[in-house]
Amino acid sequence: MAKKQKKNGGIGGTPATVALAAAGTPFTVHAYEHDPASASYGEEAAEALGVSPGRVFKTLVADVDGELTVAVVPVAGQLDLKALASAVGGKRAVMADPAAAERTTGYVRGGISPLGQRKRLRTVLDASASEHATICVSAGRRGLEVELSPGDLAALTSAVVAPIGRG
């Protein structure tokens, strides 16, 4: 069960929440107790927050033609690497080395946020996000999610919105 819920930050000052507050973007932070034995960070978040897995999005880092790229897709599905490459005009995408993803974003795996990254990476948001008034993404650490409008997320990350999720 979610422990705390606060509008515009208040708890868990991470680079992601700091970036949202600095931009004046409306958001809500949701904290929950992370279980290290959980098989899926995203599904754990959806269950803990009582939110449909279609509204909770995971942040994945892929290598598209030698350039790290962020993909934001629903936790209920998978990333279509071909679609991701196509969305950014690339030819081939593979999942990035986890250590490179952590080093570049400044976040740990399972807590990578599309917001407030150490090095701003090109971002693609799955088109299904626009079916929802708000979505949840990692706020920058395991057990902490931020809820915001998909339009605000796309604007803040300069994301391309494209159908990159499947299943």
Side-chain angles (χ1 to χ4, degrees), residues 6-141:
K6 296 203 179 178
K7 295 274 186 203
N8 291 339
I11 61 170
T14 66
T17 60
V18 168
L20 284 163
T25 302
F27 66 99
T28 303
V29 172
H30 301 278
Y32 61 93
E33 192 65 40
H34 165 63
D35 177 2
S38 180
S40 166
Y41 299 114
E43 289 175 12
E44 174 192 33
E47 186 175 317
L49 301 177
V51 175
S52 159
R55 277 191 51 225
V56 178
F57 282 64
K58 56 189 169 187
T59 305
L60 303 172
V61 181
D63 181 318
V64 180
D65 299 335
E67 185 179 342
L68 291 182
T69 302
V70 170
V72 184
V73 296
V75 301
Q78 296 181 324
L79 171 61
D80 181 333
L81 288 165
K82 278 183 134 175
L84 175 64
S86 177
V88 295
K91 294 181 184 200
R92 183 171 182 268
V94 296
M95 292 307 297
D97 171 66
E102 289 179 344
R103 199 171 38 253
T104 304
T105 64
Y107 294 118
V108 297
R109 195 167 57 95
I112 294 177
S113 178
L115 300 156
Q117 297 176 354
R118 181 177 290 150
K119 177 183 179 196
R120 190 169 177 167
L121 299 175
R122 138 178 97 163
T123 302
V124 182
L125 175 61
D126 185 63
S128 69
S130 51
E131 298 169 8
H132 308 284
T134 61
I135 60 171
C136 296
V137 296
S138 176
R141 72 171 180 251

